[in-house]
Amino acid sequence: MKMKLVALTRPQPGREAEYHEWYDNTHLPELVNKFGMAGAQRYKLAARLMGSDENEFLAIYDIEADDPMALLGAMGAASKSGELTQSDAQDFGTCYTALFTEHGERVVPQG
């Protein structure tokens, strides 16, 4: 089953460099390699169109797994046991993370 894990985050004020260093060079590689993800990429907010979310960074992880709940359980266990490197440079008070499974077919341009 194909899934997307999305995370909307932002750094703690004054700790931007530390946050980006950890996210790009530790967090993404740990998750991708430990859980066999197809890949991950980060994005920076360009413009707000609707809503009031305060997070300015988005990470999208590409995942293929048979059981979404087993994957989330394994990720939670790895985090709790210290297998995943945490950073308090991230503002956890505003963080939003969710796992989505495919719903419907991908739409591509015709022609």
Side-chain angles (χ1 to χ4, degrees), residues 6 13-14 30 34 36 41 50 52-53 63 69 71 73 76 79 93 97 100-101 103 111:
V6 298
E30 281 183 354
K34 179 153 188 64
Q41 187 170 4
M50 208 166 140
S52 60
D53 189 275
I63 301 167
M69 295 303 110
L71 172 68
S79 180
T97 306
F100 294 86
T101 58
H103 180 81

Side-chain angles (χ1 to χ4, degrees), residues 9-20:
T9 62
R10 71 178 186 179
Q12 292 284 0
R15 299 183 67 191
E16 291 83 2
E18 181 183 352
Y19 161 82
H20 292 302

Side-chain angles (χ1 to χ4, degrees), residues 23-92:
Y23 218 116
D24 293 336
N25 299 312
T26 302
H27 190 59
L28 260 64
E30 281 183 354
L31 287 177
V32 168
N33 291 305
K34 179 153 188 64
F35 299 103
M37 296 178 182
Q41 187 170 4
R42 292 182 68 213
Y43 300 85
K44 183 176 185 341
L45 179 67
R48 282 185 173 78
L49 304 177
M50 208 166 140
S52 60
D53 189 275
E54 299 175 27
N55 295 296
E56 59 185 310
F57 295 97
L58 166 69
I60 301 176
Y61 303 82
D62 300 309
I63 301 167
E64 287 195 37
D66 295 328
D67 183 351
M69 295 303 110
L71 172 68
L72 291 177
M75 290 173 68
S79 180
K80 190 174 184 178
S81 72
E83 292 176 57
L84 298 176
T85 306
Q86 300 299 320
S87 172
D88 61 359
Q90 177 177 310
D91 182 348
F92 285 97

